[in-house]
Amino acid sequence: MGATAKAKQIDFSYFGGAESLSEGRSPRRTAVVSPTAEDDGMSYPGPPQDPSEFLWLMTEEPHRSRRMAIMKAHPEVTKLMGHEPLTKWVVLGVVSLQLVTAYLLRNTHPLSPLFLLCAYAIGGTANHNLFLAIHEITHNLAFKSVKANKALAIFANLPIGIPYSAAFKRYHIEHHKFLGEDGIDTDLPTHFELLCLNNVLGKVFFATFQILFYALRPGFVRTQAFTQWHFFNLVTELVFDYVVVKTFGVRPLIYFLMSSFFAGSLHPLAGHFIAEHYVWDGLNQETYSYYGPLNILAYNVGYHNEHHDFPSVAWTRLPALRALAPEFYDTLPSHPSWPMVIVNFIRDPEVGIFARIKRKPKSHGKETEEKD
C-alpha cells in the first residue's frame, strides 16, 4: 500500500517510459530492518545517480539534526557517553599478537604461501583492528586524558609500520565536523579520482589500493601543520622499525607493512571504507550502518550512523544506542554484508567513485586539535 502510494507521487514523465524505478536495474543492495511506507526495503527509492558527477547537495549533513532529535526523545542517551577502559587492553592484545606473529615469521620467506596467508588472515585482520582502534582513540574514548589517548594511538600505530595516528586525528575530526564539504572532508574522492577511476577496472584498482588513497589523498587536498605529536608519532615509529629490523631482520617489518596493505585492500573488513558513506540504490542517504558479525573485529564501526550521531559514545555502547532509539535507526537503509559491498561496488554500474555526497564548503574550517 505504501509503495503504491509512493509510486503515484513519482513523475514518470522524466524516465522515458519506465513503469517503475526498478526497471532494468540490478537488485537493491541495502536493506531496511523496519520497512516504512516511504521505503519498503525492496524497491528502489529513487532513480540511479548520474555517474559523471558527484551528488551535490545544499542540505545540512544529517547527523546534527538527528542527534538533537534523539536527545529530545531519549535524554538518557547521555548515560552512554564517555570513555571505555576495555579499549587499552584490546589494543595491547592485538599489538602483542602482531609482535609474536612477526617474530615467528622472521625466518619465513615473504613470498611463501605461509607468510602471505598469515599477513592476510592474521596481519590484515589485526592491523585493520588497529586502524579502528586509532579511530576510536581519536575521539578520546580510551582515556579521560587527551595526552593519554594520543600516546595510546601512537602505541597502536607500531605494528602498522608507517606513522599516521597523529595526522589521522586532525583529518578525522574534520570529517565529522565538515562531513561532505569539498576540500575539507578528505574522506571524499577528488575530481581527479572521478576522471581516472570511473569504470570497472578503475574500481578494482581503487578497492585493491584503498589504503594508499586514504593515506595519500589528505596530503594533496588539505595539508596540516606539523606538531609535537606528529614528531612523537614519527620518531616512535621509526625507532620501533629500526629496532625490529636490527634485532630480527627485515622480514618482520615486511610482515607489518604487508599486513597494513592487506588490511586496506580486498579484505572483508575493508568493506566498511566503502560501505560507510558511498551512496547506494538511488538514495540521498549520506551514511550507512552495518550490523553484522564482523563488527566484533572492528570496534563496532559498522554502527556508523550511530557513531556520527554520537561520536562521544564508545564502541562497546553503540549497540545500546541503536537499541535505545530504534525508531531513528531501524528505518534507515543499512548494508547486510561488508564483503559484498566491495563486490557490488566493483560490478554495479549504479555505484562508483561518483557515488558520494558533496557540499560547497561553508568555511575553510580551522584545523582541529586539542591544546596540550
Side-chain angles (χ1 to χ4, degrees):
M1 184 76 175
T4 303
K6 182 182 177 183
K8 290 180 180 178
Q9 298 173 6
I10 298 173
D11 185 350
F12 281 96
S13 66
Y14 289 104
F15 304 121
E19 297 182 7
S20 77
L21 295 179
S22 302
E23 189 173 314
R25 299 171 72 176
S26 53
R28 179 168 172 167
R29 307 303 186 186
T30 57
V32 181
V33 175
S34 299
T36 64
E38 291 73 27
D39 189 351
D40 59 14
M42 294 179 291
S43 58
Y44 276 95
Q49 185 185 333
D50 178 4
S52 66
E53 184 55 280
F54 299 108
L55 181 58
W56 291 87
L57 296 182
M58 299 292 290
T59 56
E60 182 187 48
E61 58 88 9
H63 300 290
R64 179 182 176 276
S65 58
R66 186 161 57 234
R67 176 166 56 250
M68 300 302 292
I70 291 175
M71 292 184 72
K72 182 178 181 180
H74 303 283
E76 65 274 23
V77 71
T78 56
K79 296 179 181 179
L80 299 176
M81 300 177 184
H83 75 291
E84 172 53 72
L86 178 62
T87 301
K88 60 181 177 292
W89 301 115
V90 177
V91 170
L92 178 61
V94 176
V95 169
S96 299
L97 171 64
Q98 281 295 76
L99 293 176
V100 170
T101 306
Y103 174 78
L104 294 175
L105 292 173
R106 69 193 184 283
N107 296 321
T108 306
H109 195 282
L111 296 181
S112 67
L114 177 62
F115 195 102
L116 292 171
L117 178 62
C118 288
Y120 182 85
I122 300 174
T125 303
N127 274 14
H128 202 103
N129 179 272
L130 292 173
F131 291 164
L132 295 172
I134 292 170
H135 165 263
E136 186 77 6
I137 297 163
T138 284
H139 291 285
N140 296 328
L141 290 175
F143 298 99
K144 295 180 180 180
S145 162
V146 171
K147 290 183 178 180
N149 278 287
K150 290 183 177 182
L152 182 62
I154 291 174
F155 175 73
N157 197 154
L158 293 179
I160 292 170
I162 298 172
Y164 92 101
S165 64
F168 174 79
K169 180 175 178 70
R170 290 190 174 192
Y171 287 128
H172 186 69
I173 297 304
E174 289 183 339
H175 165 66
H176 275 263
K177 292 180 66 177
F178 307 104
L179 182 64
E181 292 194 28
D182 193 36
I184 299 177
D185 181 0
T186 58
D187 187 69
L188 293 166
T190 63
H191 191 69
F192 180 76
E193 291 170 64
L194 175 65
L195 292 175
C196 296
L197 304 174
N198 205 16
N199 52 58
V200 172
L201 288 179
K203 291 192 287 184
V204 170
F205 183 84
F206 177 80
T208 303
F209 297 98
Q210 286 184 78
I211 191 67
L212 298 182
F213 285 91
Y214 284 102
L216 299 176
R217 181 195 297 140
F220 288 99
V221 174
R222 186 170 173 79
T223 58
Q224 57 182 240
F226 192 81
T227 69
Q228 64 174 356
W229 286 101
H230 290 79
F231 177 76
F232 294 153
N233 188 197
L234 175 64
V235 171
T236 302
E237 190 67 36
L238 291 178
V239 170
F240 173 78
D241 291 349
Y242 175 79
V243 171
V244 166
V245 172
K246 200 70 176 176
T247 308
F248 304 111
V250 73
R251 289 176 180 177
L253 179 58
I254 293 174
Y255 168 77
F256 292 144
L257 296 174
M258 288 179 66
S259 296
S260 295
F261 171 76
F262 286 135
S265 182
L266 300 176
H267 190 282
L269 294 181
H272 85 85
F273 287 132
I274 297 172
E276 291 168 355
H277 296 294
Y278 278 80
V279 180
W280 297 77
D281 298 333
L283 294 158
N284 286 349
Q285 183 173 314
E286 193 159 6
T287 306
Y288 297 78
S289 290
Y290 156 79
Y291 301 119
L294 290 179
N295 276 303
I296 296 172
L297 302 171
Y299 286 89
N300 283 329
V301 76
Y303 290 76
H304 214 64
N305 268 301
E306 293 83 347
H307 168 65
H308 268 268
D309 288 351
F310 294 93
S312 57
V313 173
W315 61 282
T316 53
R317 296 187 285 273
L318 288 173
L321 171 58
R322 178 195 177 198
L324 178 67
E327 71 275 23
F328 289 93
Y329 294 120
D330 287 354
T331 57
L332 294 174
S334 59
H335 286 290
S337 167
W338 274 343
M340 285 307 298
V341 163
I342 298 176
V343 173
N344 292 331
F345 176 79
I346 292 172
R347 70 178 182 174
D348 194 333
E350 291 194 15
V351 67
I353 301 298
F354 60 87
R356 289 296 299 264
I357 288 175
K358 285 195 175 189
R359 299 176 178 83
K360 296 293 183 182
K362 297 178 182 178
S363 67
H364 293 292
K366 296 181 180 179
E367 288 185 344
T368 304
E369 180 76 354
E370 296 91 339
K371 294 182 180 179
D372 295 322

